[in-house]
Amino acid sequence: MTAWCADPYADAVRAGSGPLFLRRPDGWLLPLEVERWCAAADPADMTVLARCRGPVIDIGCGPGRLVSALAALGHVALGVDVSPAAVTRTRRTGGAALCRSVFDRLPGEGRWGTALLVDGNVGIGGDPVALLARVAEVVSPGGRLLVEAAPADVDERVEVRVDDGRGRLGSLFPWARVGVPALLRHARESGWAVTEQWGAEGREFVALGRW
């Protein structure tokens, strides 16, 4: 996922501000909430963190607000992200982070109590079923996965670029967007049990369990 190492994304993370978008080939733009990602965990985030159990791995941690908040709450937490700029910012804010893809070998595989896929990160790799199956290998038996779904009823796989809104584009990479109905289907297909659904601050979340 070298696209996330490209200058538009890295520069936005370093600056802590956008604008930044995901651009589909048809020109449709999805705004990325860089300022929120670079701020402290907000009330919606805290509803997720309150459901974490045991050591936590944040997949696609970005600038690290959740990893830092978890550490402050006393959790053992690790962020993983393919962007060196995001990992650097996470470490600078007091979180532990590793520059690696979720599809690479990860520390503590099979022993994480909770995994996080928030801020649209269920889209990583463009294949939600494959991603959810991979995360099942990372968490412990009886572990949980907390996922943020798109607020719309959508289920799409696309190729996108990072776009800074000023003419600078990253390279194409696969991405997916899934709303709650699609997420529930994909979770069951990949062997997860749905244990809870909730909304907060206009965002939608699902808790999944592995037995």
Side-chain angles (χ1 to χ4, degrees):
M1 294 286 288
T2 55
W4 294 103
C5 304
D7 285 345
Y9 178 75
D11 288 351
V13 167
R14 292 188 191 104
S17 63
L20 201 66
F21 307 89
L22 291 184
R23 172 184 283 273
R24 287 193 318 217
D26 64 4
W28 181 86
L29 295 175
L30 175 68
L32 300 178
E33 299 181 81
V34 178
E35 289 84 358
R36 180 172 66 79
W37 297 349
C38 291
D42 63 22
D45 295 329
M46 296 308 292
T47 70
V48 176
L49 303 190
R51 290 166 166 83
C52 291
R53 301 290 182 269
V56 184
I57 185 165
D58 183 5
I59 296 164
C61 67
R65 75 186 189 284
L66 302 183
V67 178
S68 300
L70 284 162
L73 291 169
H75 284 274
V76 173
L78 175 69
V80 293
D81 203 288
V82 296
S83 165
V87 169
T88 296
R89 186 167 182 131
T90 298
R91 292 172 177 168
R92 197 163 58 234
T93 59
L98 181 67
C99 193
R100 196 169 297 179
S101 165
V102 64
F103 295 105
D104 295 333
R105 185 73 182 174
L106 297 175
E109 287 205 15
R111 298 195 299 273
W112 294 98
T114 305
L116 305 180
L117 285 171
V118 300
D119 299 330
N121 284 333
V122 70
I124 289 171
D127 185 342
V129 174
L131 176 61
L132 293 171
R134 169 60 182 140
V135 178
E137 300 172 345
V138 174
V139 301
S140 62
R144 61 178 55 184
L145 170 58
L146 306 178
V147 187
E148 182 173 358
D153 185 1
V154 62
D155 187 10
E156 67 175 11
R157 288 127 187 82
V158 293
E159 287 199 324
V160 294
R161 299 178 189 269
V162 178
D163 183 336
D164 73 353
R166 296 182 292 268
R168 297 178 66 217
L169 299 171
S171 57
L172 277 170
F173 62 96
W175 196 250
R177 292 176 65 234
V178 295
V180 171
L183 176 57
L184 300 185
R185 292 194 303 272
H186 299 323
R188 295 182 179 111
E189 184 178 346
S190 54
W192 290 94
V194 178
T195 60
E196 188 181 5
Q197 298 174 232
W198 75 99
E201 306 288 325
R203 296 163 64 191
E204 298 293 332
F205 302 97
V206 177
L208 305 175
R210 195 82 178 176
W211 315 123

